[in-house]
Amino acid sequence: DAFESPKKEILREQYVYMARRLWNIITVPAFVLMTIFGLWMVFYYYPNFPLLTVNSSLPWFYYKILFLIGLFIYHYWCWKKVLEIKYLKNQDLSTANLKLRQSNEIATFILFLVVFVAILKTAALQYWWQLFLGFIVIVLVIMTTVKLVNKNKK
C-alpha cells in the first residue's frame, strides 16, 4: 500500500492482531462446534447409518458430507494463511488483496450448498442443474460485488 513506513508498520501490526483474534475467537470455535454437532447429529439421528457404504435412501446426505469436507479443506487453507501472516516479519503477503477478499466468500458458497442440499434433500439431486445454475449466479454476483467494491476503493 501507499502508506509511509511508520504508518504502514502500525497498520500491519494491527491487521495481524485482528486476524489472529478473528481466527482464535470466532473461526476456530465455530469449526469445533460444527464438527461436534455434525458428528452428534449423524450418530444420534442415524445410529445405524453406514458411513462407508452407500445408502440409497440418503444420497443427499453424501453430498452434504462432501461439501463439509470442502469446508474442512478451506478451513485448513485459512489456517495456513493466518500462520503466513503471523510470520511475515515486515514482508508483503504473497497473496493479492483482491484474492483474499474473494476467498473470504468461499465459506459462504459452501454453506449455501450445504443448506440448499439439506433443505431440498432429494429434490436437490432431482433438480441438480437448477441448483448448480443458481449457485453459479450467486457466486458471480458476490465475486462481481467484491471486485466493484475493491475497484471503487482505489
Side-chain angles (χ1 to χ4, degrees):
D1 292 334
F3 296 114
E4 57 253 11
S5 185
K7 188 174 182 181
K8 189 174 185 177
E9 186 58 36
I10 291 169
L11 289 172
R12 184 186 302 260
E13 287 177 20
Q14 182 64 29
Y15 178 72
V16 170
Y17 173 74
M18 288 171 26
R20 290 179 59 206
R21 283 191 57 146
L22 174 68
W23 181 258
N24 292 325
I25 294 173
I26 295 174
T27 309
V28 171
F31 177 77
V32 169
L33 289 173
M34 177 193 76
T35 304
I36 290 170
F37 287 120
L39 291 173
W40 174 72
M41 285 178 65
V42 166
F43 294 114
Y44 182 78
Y45 290 109
Y46 304 106
N48 299 324
F49 184 75
L51 290 175
L52 299 177
T53 60
V54 176
N55 185 342
S56 62
S57 66
L58 296 170
W60 63 271
F61 195 76
Y62 296 104
Y63 286 102
K64 179 180 171 184
I65 289 174
L66 179 70
F67 296 142
L68 289 176
I69 289 170
L71 197 58
F72 275 91
I73 293 167
Y74 171 75
H75 192 84
Y76 176 76
W77 179 83
C78 289
W79 175 64
K80 297 300 268 181
K81 284 295 169 191
V82 168
L83 288 179
E84 188 179 339
I85 289 170
K86 181 179 176 182
Y87 298 115
L88 275 178
K89 305 283 189 213
N90 295 330
Q91 300 170 354
D92 288 337
L93 188 61
S94 61
T95 309
N97 184 21
L98 181 60
K99 294 239 185 267
L100 288 174
R101 288 177 186 220
Q102 288 176 331
S103 66
N104 190 36
E105 304 304 328
I106 291 173
T108 306
F109 301 146
I110 294 172
L111 290 174
F112 274 139
L113 284 173
V114 169
V115 169
F116 287 142
V117 168
I119 290 173
L120 299 174
K121 293 184 177 35
T122 55
L125 300 178
Q126 186 177 3
Y127 302 106
W128 66 271
W129 67 272
Q130 288 101 328
L131 180 64
F132 182 73
L133 184 64
F135 178 72
I136 294 299
V137 168
I138 289 172
V139 168
L140 290 175
V141 166
I142 291 176
M143 287 297 166
T144 304
T145 303
V146 168
K147 278 191 171 190
L148 290 174
V149 166
N150 196 48
K151 182 179 178 182
N152 290 338
K153 285 188 174 186
K154 288 185 177 179

